[in-house]
Amino acid sequence: MLPGLSAAGVMMAGGKKDPAFKNLAALFAGGADGIMIDLTDKSTLFSDANGTFPVVNNADWVGLALDQHKWGGKTLAEYRASQPELVANGSFDTDVSGWNLAGASGTITWQSGRMRVTATTNSTPGASRAFTCVVGRWYELSIDIPIAHSNYTGYNIGTGPASGNTYTSGNIGNAPGSYKRFFKATSTTQYVIVYGPGVGGQYIEVDNISIKEIDGNHATQTSTARPTWASATNDVLFDGSNDCLSLVGFDFPSGDCFLSSWAKPTTSNRHIVGADSQFRIGQDTANRVFAVAGSSVLYSTSTTLNVYKTALLDKQTAKAELAVDGVIEATAASPPSTATTNDPAIGAVGGATPSGFLPGNIKRIVAGKFRVQDTMTAADFHANLIAA
Ligand SMILES: [Ca+2]
Ligand SMILES: [Ca+2]
C-alpha cells in the first residue's frame, strides 16, 4: 500500500468507484512526486510556453501542458479556486494600498474599484507590489485590463519592483482584456508589475490581479518543436520531426517508479516518452512496445502501429514489468537499479538533446516515484488511464 493513499484510492484500487482519469490523482495523495499530463483536456493546454494563449482550434500549437498530479482530481478551475491568493489588494475594492510606483515618473490612483497608472512625463510609469513564493514552483498570474493604451500597456513578473523582469509579457498595446500567464518562481520575493503609457496624462486601468500557485511537473516547448492540437482525435499530434514536450525537474529514481503512456504511433522504431536510454517507452522496428528500465529491456507480444494502446512500465528494486492495455506482457527479473537526472520528454527521448521523435498522437502520460502495482492492478490502472 502506498503510504498516505486516500480512502478514495482504496476504493478505486478495487475497481468499485466510477473509473475516471482524475482518480489516478489518488496515487499521489501521499505527496509522491509524479506526472499526470492529460493531452485530451484542452483546459490544461496552452499554445505558448507562458500559458498566455489557450489551445482552441485544430492545429493550434501546444507549448504548455499542465501536470495535474497535485490537483487531487480537481479541474484546473477548481484547483485554482482552492489555492490561496498571493497578491494582497489585487481587486482594489476601496483603495490602492500596498501598491507602489515603480520606475519612472507617474501616479497610481484608485478609480472606482480599479488602479489607474498615469504618466506625468515622457517615460513609462509602473505600479508594483511584492508577493512571496517558493523558488522552482509554478504560478499563474491573472490580470484584467479594462483600459489599455495604444502607446504602451504591459505587465510582467520580476525580481525587483522596477527591474529584474524575469518574465516579461511586454506591450499588449491598445487591447483591453483579461490576461494570464504561468511562470516558475526564481526568487522567494517576486514582484508583479504593470506598466502604463509614457506621455504625460495618458493612463491605463487594471483590476483583479491574482497569483495562485499551480505547481507541478509541467511540460513546455517553444518554436516549431511544439506539437499541435488534433481536434478530430481529441489529443495532441507529434510530427516525428522535432516535436516534443519537455519535462524539466522530474528525475527517475533508482528504486520503485513507473512510466506510462496512452498513444498511437504511426511510424515504427520511435519513442513515445522517455528520459534517456535508461528510462523510455516506444516501439521497435517490429512495432512491438518496448520499455527500458536501467539494464532491463522489455518487449510486448502485441504490436502498436496506428492503434491507441496504453503501456505501463512498472519497476521495483528486483523486477520490472511491462503491461500493454492492462495485461502484463513482459517481466524482467534483473534489478534495474539505474537512476537518471535527465529530463524526460513526451514524444521523444529527452535530456538536453531529444531524439527518436514520434510521428503520431499522444493522449496521456503518467509517471511516479512508486510502483503502481503496490496500490492497484495493471488492469485497473489501464482502465483509469483511458477513462473520461
Ligand atoms: Ca475591482
Ligand atoms: Ca515541428
Side-chain angles (χ1 to χ4, degrees), residues 16 28 56 83 102 106 109 141 149 200 214 236 360 369 379:
K16 301 302 183 187
F28 304 96
V56 178
Q83 288 290 82
T109 53
L141 165 69
H149 198 286
I214 310 287
V236 172
K369 297 181 180 178

Side-chain angles (χ1 to χ4, degrees), residues 71-96:
W71 298 2
K74 294 184 173 73
T75 65
L76 174 58
E78 291 167 345
Y79 183 65
R80 180 191 291 124
S82 72
Q83 288 290 82
E85 176 58 58
L86 300 180
V87 175
N89 193 26
S91 58
F92 312 108
D93 294 340
T94 57
D95 53 46
V96 293

Side-chain angles (χ1 to χ4, degrees), residues 224-226 239 242-243:
T224 60
R226 284 173 287 181
D239 69 358
N242 63 350
D243 289 0

Side-chain angles (χ1 to χ4, degrees), residues 8 45 86 88 115 159 162 220 307 313 336 356 358 374:
L45 305 178
L86 300 180
M115 178 171 65
T159 53
T220 60
V307 291
L313 170 62
L358 178 82
D374 288 344

Side-chain angles (χ1 to χ4, degrees), residues 21 36-42 44-45 66 68 363-365:
F21 173 67
M36 278 185 69
I37 289 183
D38 186 1
L39 300 179
T40 74
D41 181 357
K42 276 200 290 188
T44 66
L45 305 178
L66 296 178
Q68 50 186 292
K363 289 184 179 292
R364 286 168 178 160
I365 298 293

Side-chain angles (χ1 to χ4, degrees), residues 209-348:
I209 299 175
S210 169
I211 291 175
K212 299 285 187 77
E213 181 182 317
I214 310 287
D215 194 34
N217 295 305
H218 305 323
T220 60
Q221 190 52 275
T222 58
S223 74
T224 60
R226 284 173 287 181
T228 53
W229 174 251
S231 59
T233 46
N234 196 56
D235 55 22
V236 172
L237 176 66
F238 294 74
D239 69 358
S241 172
N242 63 350
D243 289 0
C244 68
L245 295 167
S246 299
L247 288 156
V248 176
F250 183 87
D251 299 333
F252 285 97
S254 60
D256 294 7
C257 61
F258 75 95
L259 175 63
S260 69
S261 61
W262 182 21
K264 183 186 74 173
T266 56
T267 297
S268 62
N269 196 27
R270 300 297 177 96
H271 292 98
I272 295 169
V273 59
D276 55 23
S277 60
Q278 303 297 315
F279 285 92
R280 50 189 168 132
I281 292 175
Q283 63 167 14
D284 69 2
T285 54
N287 292 325
R288 296 174 298 181
V289 180
F290 76 83
V292 182
S295 58
S296 299
V297 185
L298 300 94
Y299 296 97
S300 69
T301 55
S302 59
T303 58
T304 56
L305 193 64
N306 290 318
V307 291
Y308 286 96
K309 291 197 175 187
T310 70
L312 166 65
L313 170 62
D314 209 11
K315 171 181 169 293
Q316 59 182 327
T317 304
K319 185 166 68 174
E321 294 167 301
L322 170 63
V324 178
D325 281 356
V327 177
I328 295 173
E329 296 193 358
T331 300
S334 59
S337 59
T338 304
T340 180
T341 56
N342 277 340
D343 296 324
I346 298 171

